[in-house]
Amino acid sequence: MNIFFTFDYELFLGNLSGSPERCVIRPTEALMRIAATHGVRFVFFVDSGYLARLAADRVRHPALGREYDAVLRQIDTLKRNKHEVQLHIHPGWRRAIYDDGNWKHDNERYRLHDYSKTEARGIVLEYARTLEEAAQGKTLAFRAGGWCIQPFEHVAEALWDAGIRIDSTVIPGAFSSTGTHEYDFRTAPADSRWRFSCDPAREDRAGRFLEIPIGAQTLGPWFFLKFSAIKLLSKSNSGRFSQFGDGSPIGSSKGEILAKLLKKSVAPISCDGYRSQSLESSYLNAARKNPDADFVVIGHPKAQSRYSLENIDRCIAIMKKDSRNRFTVFSEVAKE
Ligand SMILES: [Zn+2]
């Protein structure tokens, strides 16, 4: 399989944004150590809105200047170690307010679609440029913040002009309509990659963009029950299951939690926290179905735990045993 380990490199967008040290710097160092052990490359989708605010506000807040330098140093280390840095956008950073070590997000305008087409274009081009300056190189792959990429027409031209040729946002079969997270990938193809033009979830063989979707898995209510139990227990145990990131995510409504507890839902194949427990079985299923397909795993440095790092390490060792597997990154695909 063509295996992509992709990590969305970002702070939290809930009430507590978390510290850069614990949300990105330290867990990313741990991930790099695993990659080095196995001689593989990872992809980091860097939240360029965060980067843009650090760059803009560092003059007024010396602490943000130090944070900016630390993140830039890490991006440089990632690149020197052959990992790939690609574009991730949470446009809400534009309206975030920095208050004594914490960023306040209102999440009223969470998606690029909450801005006019002209504003959205400005955000895409500015953020892409900020990241390219930080990474000292072009980006060509994109992942939308919160998977909110539809309707694609709103951002297609801007992404193209920013140099984006590959998208990796779609989770085939997934659907969400929570007000912040709006996407419908229920009719996406089951193939491992396809070309598209006006909707990344719909194939258009003549399309100028390429979709390399995130792997999808169906989770039953039992999973979320087990997950909730572990979450409760992890507060009192030695911390093997506790995530490194010290912020808080955007809360789910009671209705959303209830829906997950009552029926099956489609979720991305994730190597985060407790979700990483099914990484091995997801991989084995996918490899059995089509050993030549893409296998894209999503994760977040902030959501890693000792447990998930163990699972990633073990799973890569298993994947490496099959000589047909190739650990790859998006710039390699662009060369094909
Ligand atoms: Zn994100």
Side-chain angles (χ1 to χ4, degrees):
M1 307 196 83
N2 301 307
I3 298 169
F4 300 77
F5 269 86
T6 68
F7 295 90
D8 296 359
Y9 184 101
E10 61 192 17
L11 301 188
F12 288 88
L13 300 172
N15 291 334
L16 289 174
S17 52
S19 63
E21 210 37 45
R22 288 186 54 178
C23 293
V24 287
I25 305 286
R26 276 197 270 157
T28 300
E29 284 168 357
L31 288 166
M32 271 193 282
R33 282 195 291 274
I34 293 178
T37 310
H38 297 285
V40 300
R41 304 166 74 185
F42 291 158
V43 179
F44 290 84
F45 281 102
V46 174
D47 185 352
S48 52
Y50 167 52
L51 215 54
R53 284 305 299 273
L54 290 181
D57 292 26
R58 71 194 142 135
V59 188
R60 269 184 296 148
H61 302 283
L64 293 183
R66 290 190 291 276
E67 194 170 326
Y68 183 66
D69 293 344
V71 170
L72 248 54
R73 263 199 310 276
Q74 183 153 67
I75 289 177
D76 185 54
T77 309
L78 285 172
K79 296 208 65 162
R80 275 191 287 108
N81 286 283
K82 308 282 178 232
H83 298 298
E84 198 170 70
V85 171
Q86 298 290 4
L87 183 65
H88 188 48
I89 292 183
H90 282 285
W93 278 102
R94 166 159 292 212
R95 286 154 50 89
I97 295 165
Y98 185 67
D99 179 20
D100 196 22
N102 189 43
W103 291 95
K104 284 194 181 127
H105 294 271
D106 61 18
N107 290 315
E108 289 280 306
R109 299 173 85 186
Y110 177 80
R111 313 152 60 214
L112 279 166
H113 303 73
D114 296 326
Y115 297 81
S116 74
K117 200 169 170 180
T118 312
E119 286 174 317
R121 178 182 176 81
I123 294 171
V124 168
L125 294 179
E126 181 205 331
Y127 285 8
R129 198 174 49 239
T130 303
L131 181 59
E132 288 184 357
E133 278 167 20
Q136 313 230 328
K138 288 264 165 207
T139 54
L140 58 86
F142 175 69
R143 176 170 294 151
W147 303 284
C148 300
I149 197 167
Q150 298 158 312
F152 187 63
E153 186 271 330
H154 197 71
V155 289
E157 213 52 48
L159 287 172
W160 183 265
D161 291 346
I164 298 303
R165 301 294 180 262
I166 298 172
D167 175 67
S168 185
T169 298
V170 174
I171 311 155
F175 170 80
S176 172
S177 183
T178 67
T180 49
H181 293 70
E182 296 285 323
Y183 53 83
D184 188 351
F185 303 139
R186 286 175 294 187
T187 55
D191 310 9
S192 69
R193 61 175 83 167
W194 58 83
R195 302 209 70 84
F196 71 95
S197 53
C198 41
D199 180 358
R202 211 174 67 221
E203 181 172 16
D204 173 358
R205 290 197 180 159
R208 57 181 175 168
F209 291 97
L210 180 69
E211 178 66 32
I212 303 188
I214 304 167
Q217 64 175 150
T218 303
L219 297 177
W222 52 268
F223 177 85
F224 292 98
L225 285 170
K226 228 165 41 172
F227 185 53
S228 310
I230 287 279
K231 250 186 166 171
L232 281 174
L233 288 172
S234 68
K235 290 200 175 113
S236 56
N237 74 7
S238 61
R240 184 166 168 246
F241 295 108
S242 359
Q243 66 175 19
F244 296 134
D246 50 357
S248 54
I250 300 174
S252 305
S253 72
K254 282 190 182 127
E256 287 155 40
I257 296 168
L258 198 65
K260 277 185 179 168
L261 290 173
L262 290 177
K263 54 178 195 235
K264 287 183 178 174
S265 55
V266 176
I269 293 175
S270 165
C271 61
D272 283 340
Y274 186 58
R275 288 285 314 280
S276 65
Q277 69 151 8
S278 53
L279 186 58
E280 184 185 338
S281 58
S282 297
Y283 157 69
L284 292 173
N285 276 339
R288 213 167 16 241
K289 252 189 238 160
N290 181 2
D292 298 321
D294 298 317
F295 186 73
V296 180
V297 179
I298 186 176
H300 300 76
K302 65 184 181 187
Q304 293 301 308
S305 58
R306 274 173 29 221
Y307 175 70
S308 66
L309 292 174
E310 286 163 21
N311 279 329
I312 293 171
D313 187 34
R314 188 174 47 83
C315 207
I316 292 177
I318 293 168
M319 289 162 161
K320 287 204 78 170
K321 282 190 192 141
D322 189 332
S323 60
R324 291 170 300 179
N325 285 338
R326 192 167 73 105
F327 287 82
T328 190
V329 292
F330 297 106
S331 54
E332 290 296 323
V333 176
K335 284 183 207 157
E336 285 168 11

